């Protein structure tokens, strides 16, 4: 996906305009994202600059962003002094004063037909929600869309700030997560009236710029009105596609691949939509050659983009290829050594790979750059967790949550630490709060299942494991947990189905080659987890299906040398109903490890138990030579030696009796 010189220059100028427009409206994260993407564009040659002669003059050197609508331009010119004051107040974090420049509390109450008594006092703020309708309502003020957005956005940020101030201590007795932003109702009512007024005026109004739709979408998200929020956010990106904040809100609203496919045709067809689709797919844990190729194409255009390189590392991370993910993050850190974004994921990878020196370096680096960033606290917490200092780890995860209560990694990892500290009540609460932040977080659902399983509440554990498996249908670890839970509940038939699906998932995905290769294909390998095979065999044995049990016991023993090569096991796909979703994976936050695909496991406890079962089975069916061979192998392995020696003696005795009878 290469761009011509003219297209590259147009893209550069468009991104410059996007940075300025987002900065004018104090959308700092969206401006930073666009600026980073702009910086990742290769510098054009001197010859390429000649192409600018063919571009419209408004695209060249966008130091300011003049409005092309005469009415809006006149309003912006008239308000310039007040706008500069409001923006300066916003930059100084005086959000109430910023909002009051254009929308004073008293005027706002009259405009919305609500009574706000002494709204500037603490008591007035507590009862600011609209309730009493006045006999008449004033018309909305005639101010530019840019100034209106800034005022309402400042009011929303002010409400969020006050919400944080009123919240109780993290995980404290009164921390119920019920504190709300009291400004949302005012903003929602104002914007509803503003949009209704535009509809009533028809074509006599200035075209919308897309930012007020974005703001209304954010308000609707916080009010849990996801359907209407998605509609306004899609409209926002259609009007102004370069606001990455709107795309991120859409990403957070999409919970299924089917929903992503429904939304995609409604989006503007440009490079932003292309970036969004790749990012949203990774956010939904999708894998495969298409996403890898999309990222590769984008990296041709933006070769040093920190955002795209992070997505590439996360694609490896979600596909269990932790070594490749660690290398990608390491290269990214070399390119952008002061960038802390997404380093919490990097620390999870280093934790699982047990790379303590690198994790110590990363923690020191984050601490030296900015100690009070949530990502820095998560990295330091992971380091203490690796040192088994679980109390210190909890301290830093709590600090991350004090800085940002929506920090998903901190809630989930703090749940893991409470499990280590045997504080199951706090672990359950941490996982529940993680799910409240993001219901797609399969790690939190899985953690809830594990915690309830520790409490021997298997029905609850099974429900949560199924939620995790539904989010990651191709993750063998999820189905293994479901199968083990069903086994403990005595539901052997259903447990066998779940464990067979775990084997299918691992055989499909454990061996996945790099998606960034030339073909992007995935090879199916036959390495299977002997523990899972042993569990399946044991359940068949309890169901008195000895032939099936024997087949799986033999398959378990075969894993010592790398498994079979031509078959995926007896009845592996029976009654599973595999979906064609993306493969799943275990990753750093799950605290899991895996056996490298294609390598034999060697002698394990599971294979030794399977060998002992086969030896006893051979004795029952009077196959004494096989029983003697298997028992001898057990003695050589140094496992169950005494019982194996007894089997050898009995098998040899029976063979001698048989030979004497035959003679």
């Amino acid at each position: 996906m290469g761009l011509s010189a003219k297209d590259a220059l147009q893209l550069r100028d468009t991104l410059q305009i996007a940075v300025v427009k987002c900065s004018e409206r104090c959308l700092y994260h969206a401006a930073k994202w666009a600026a980073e993407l702009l910086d990742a564009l290769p510098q054009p040659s001197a010859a390429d600059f000649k192409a600018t002669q063919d571009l419209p003059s408004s695209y060249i050197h966008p130091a300011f962003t003049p409005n092309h609508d005469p009415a809006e331009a006149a309003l912006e010119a008239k308000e310039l002094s007040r706008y500069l004051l409001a923006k300066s107040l916003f930059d100084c974090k005086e959000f109430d004063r910023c909002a009051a420049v254009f929308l004073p509390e008293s005027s706002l109450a009259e405009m919305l037909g609500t009574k706000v008594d002494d709204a500037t006092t603490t008591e007035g703020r507590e009862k600011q929600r609209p309730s009493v309708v006045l006999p008449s309502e004033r018309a909305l003020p005639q101010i530019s869309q840019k100034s209106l957005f800034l005022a309402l956005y400042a009011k929303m940020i002010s409400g969020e700030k006050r919400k944080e101030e009123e919240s109780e201590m993290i995980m404290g007795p009164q921390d119920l997560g019920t504190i709300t932003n009291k400004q949302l109702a005012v903003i929602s009512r104002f914007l509803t009236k503003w949009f209704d007024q535009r509809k009533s005026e028809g074509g006599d109004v200035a075209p919308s710029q897309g930012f007020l739709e974005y703001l209304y979408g954010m308000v609707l998200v916080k009010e849990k009105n996801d359907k209407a929020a998605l509609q306004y956010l899609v409209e926002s990106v259609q009007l102004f596609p370069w606001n990455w904040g709107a795309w991120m809100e859409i990403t957070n609203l999409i919970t299924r691949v089917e929903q992503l496919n429904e939304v995609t045709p409604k989006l503007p067809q440009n490079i932003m939509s292309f970036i969004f689709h790749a990012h949203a797919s990774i956010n939904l844990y999708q894998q495969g050659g298409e996403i890898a190729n999309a990222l590769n194409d984008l990296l041709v255009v933006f070769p040093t983009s920190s955002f795209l390189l992070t997505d590439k590392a996360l694609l490896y991370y979600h596909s269990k290829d932790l070594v490749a993910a660690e290398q990608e993050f390491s290269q990214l850190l070399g390119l952008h050594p002061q960038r802390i974004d997404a380093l919490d994921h990097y620390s999870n990878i280093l934790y699982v790979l047990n790379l303590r020196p690198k994790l110590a370096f990363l923690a020191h680096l984050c601490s030296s750059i900015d100690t009070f960033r949530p990502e820095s606290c998560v990295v330091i917490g992971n380091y203490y967790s690796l040192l088994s200092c679980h109390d210190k780890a909890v301290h830093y995860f709590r600090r991350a949550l004090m800085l940002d209560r929506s920090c998903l990694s901190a809630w989930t990892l703090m749940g893991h630490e409470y499990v280590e500290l045997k504080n199951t009540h706090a672990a359950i609460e941490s996982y529940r709060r993680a799910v409240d932040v993001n219901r797609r977080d399969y790690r939190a659902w899985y953690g809830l299942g594990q915690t309830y399983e520790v409490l021997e509440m298997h029905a609850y554990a099974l429900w949560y494991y199924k939620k995790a498996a539904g989010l990651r249908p191709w993750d063998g670890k999820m189905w293994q947990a479901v199968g083990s839970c069903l086994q403990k509940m005595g539901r052997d038939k259903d447990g066998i189905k779940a464990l067979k699906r775990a084997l299918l998932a691992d055989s499909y995905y454990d061996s996945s080659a790099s998606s960034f290769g030339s073909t992007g294909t995935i090879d199916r390998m036959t390495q299977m987890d002997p523990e899972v095979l042993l569990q399946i065999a044991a359940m068949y044995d309890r169901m008195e299906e000895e032939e099936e049990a024997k087949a799986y016991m033999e398959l378990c023993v075969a894993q010592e040398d790398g498994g079979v090569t031509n078959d995926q096991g007896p009845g592996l796909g029976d009654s599973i109903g595999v979906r064609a979703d993306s493969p799943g994976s275990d990753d750093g936050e799950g605290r899991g490890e895996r056996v490298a695909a294609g390598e034999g496991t060697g002698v394990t406890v599971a294979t030794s138990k399977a060998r002992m079962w086969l030896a006893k089975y051979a004795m029952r069916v009077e196959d004494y030579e096989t029983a003697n061979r298997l028992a001898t192998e057990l003695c050589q392995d140094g496992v169950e030696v005494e019982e194996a020696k007894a089997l050898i003696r009995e098998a040899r005795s029976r063979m001698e009796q048989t030979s004497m009878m035959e003679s």
Side-chain angles (χ1 to χ4, degrees), residues 5 47 120 127 149 294 322 331 364 384 402 410 484 514 545:
T120 58
K127 50 186 179 181
F149 175 87
L322 300 184
Q331 293 174 9
H364 179 74
Y384 279 118
M402 289 175 64
S484 299
S514 167
E545 297 185 22

Side-chain angles (χ1 to χ4, degrees), residues 313-586:
L314 289 175
L315 187 58
Y316 282 123
Y317 176 43
H318 293 158
S319 66
K320 296 186 180 181
D321 196 348
L322 300 184
V323 175
E326 191 278 325
Q327 292 173 352
E328 290 295 331
F329 270 117
S330 181
Q331 293 174 9
L332 177 62
L333 194 61
L335 284 172
H336 306 278
Q338 281 78 38
R339 185 177 185 267
I340 296 180
D341 299 0
L343 289 187
D344 51 336
H345 296 300
Y346 187 26
S347 69
N348 291 329
I349 294 168
L350 297 176
Y351 180 100
V352 177
L353 295 176
N354 200 25
L355 298 176
R356 197 170 93 178
K358 283 192 173 183
L359 186 52
F361 168 78
L362 189 65
H364 179 74
L365 177 66
C366 291
S367 179
S368 63
I369 295 172
D370 190 349
T371 307
F372 296 102
R373 275 280 294 272
E375 295 91 340
S376 298
C377 296
V378 170
V379 171
I380 298 170
N382 265 334
Y383 174 67
Y384 279 118
S385 179
L386 190 59
L387 296 178
S388 297
C389 300
H390 301 298
D391 288 320
K392 285 188 176 180
V394 167
H395 170 75
Y396 276 97
F397 292 141
R398 288 169 71 97
R399 179 183 287 184
L401 293 167
M402 289 175 64
L403 296 166
D404 180 8
R405 283 179 179 256
S406 64
C407 183
L408 180 63
S409 294
W411 283 118
T412 307
L413 293 172
M414 190 163 70
H416 295 333
E417 297 309 307
Y418 279 128
V419 169
E420 295 289 340
L421 293 168
K422 312 300 182 188
N423 188 343
T424 52
H425 176 76
I428 288 171
E429 182 61 23
S430 297
Y431 290 135
R432 287 191 188 280
R433 298 292 285 274
V435 168
D436 289 341
V437 172
N438 184 355
R439 299 191 69 81
R440 294 192 308 272
D441 182 26
Y442 73 96
R443 306 171 188 87
W445 292 111
Y446 183 83
L448 282 167
Q450 279 187 312
T451 310
Y452 278 110
E453 194 169 16
V454 168
L455 296 173
E456 297 186 358
M457 300 172 71
H458 299 300
Y460 284 95
L462 178 61
W463 192 86
Y464 289 117
Y465 281 144
K466 284 184 174 180
K467 288 288 289 185
L471 290 166
R472 302 278 291 205
W474 279 104
D475 193 335
K477 183 181 176 184
M478 305 297 113
W479 291 108
Q480 185 178 351
V482 171
S484 299
C485 200
L486 288 166
Q487 182 184 16
K488 291 174 183 176
M489 296 172 70
R491 296 169 56 182
D492 289 337
K493 190 173 181 181
D494 292 331
I496 287 171
K497 291 179 182 179
L499 291 176
K500 284 181 177 179
R501 180 152 188 174
L503 290 176
L504 271 180
D506 289 336
S507 65
Y508 180 84
Y509 208 66
D510 262 1
S511 60
S512 62
S514 167
S515 297
F516 291 91
S518 57
T519 61
T521 58
I522 297 176
D523 300 323
R524 291 179 177 267
M525 304 292 286
T526 54
Q527 180 68 52
M528 301 182 196
D529 188 346
E531 289 285 348
V532 178
L533 294 168
L534 180 65
Q535 280 183 282
I536 294 174
M539 283 190 278
Y540 272 126
D541 190 29
R542 279 200 300 274
M543 293 166 62
E544 298 182 355
E545 297 185 22
E546 283 198 333
E547 289 301 319
E548 288 288 340
K550 175 176 176 287
Y552 276 94
M553 290 293 185
E554 289 174 345
L555 198 55
C556 178
V557 173
Q559 302 311 302
E560 292 180 347
D561 301 320
V564 295
T565 56
N566 297 319
D567 191 12
Q568 295 224 18
L572 197 57
D574 295 346
S575 306
I576 296 178
V578 179
R579 281 169 42 185
D581 287 341
S582 68
S585 63
D586 178 33

Side-chain angles (χ1 to χ4, degrees), residues 534 537 541 546 549-550 552-554 556-558 560 603-621 623 626-651:
L534 180 65
D541 190 29
E546 283 198 333
K550 175 176 176 287
Y552 276 94
M553 290 293 185
E554 289 174 345
C556 178
V557 173
E560 292 180 347
V603 177
T604 66
V605 174
T607 58
S608 297
K609 287 181 179 178
R611 187 174 272 108
M612 177 62 75
W613 187 94
L614 289 169
K616 291 179 179 179
Y617 175 81
M619 289 295 294
R620 288 199 301 274
V621 298
D623 187 357
T626 301
N628 181 61
R629 175 177 57 79
L630 291 170
T632 303
E633 290 174 0
L634 281 169
C635 290
Q636 293 172 350
D637 296 338
V639 182
E640 306 283 355
V641 176
E642 294 303 321
E643 191 174 359
K645 286 181 177 179
L647 274 176
I648 291 172
R649 287 194 295 269
E650 185 179 356

Side-chain angles (χ1 to χ4, degrees), residues 48 108 432:
D48 291 337
L108 191 61
R432 287 191 188 280

Side-chain angles (χ1 to χ4, degrees), residues 24-46:
E24 287 175 346
R25 291 160 179 82
C26 298
L27 296 172
Y28 298 124
H29 288 287
K32 182 184 80 168
W33 185 89
E36 287 181 342
L37 207 63
L38 175 64
D39 184 61
L41 277 171
Q43 288 295 327
S45 63

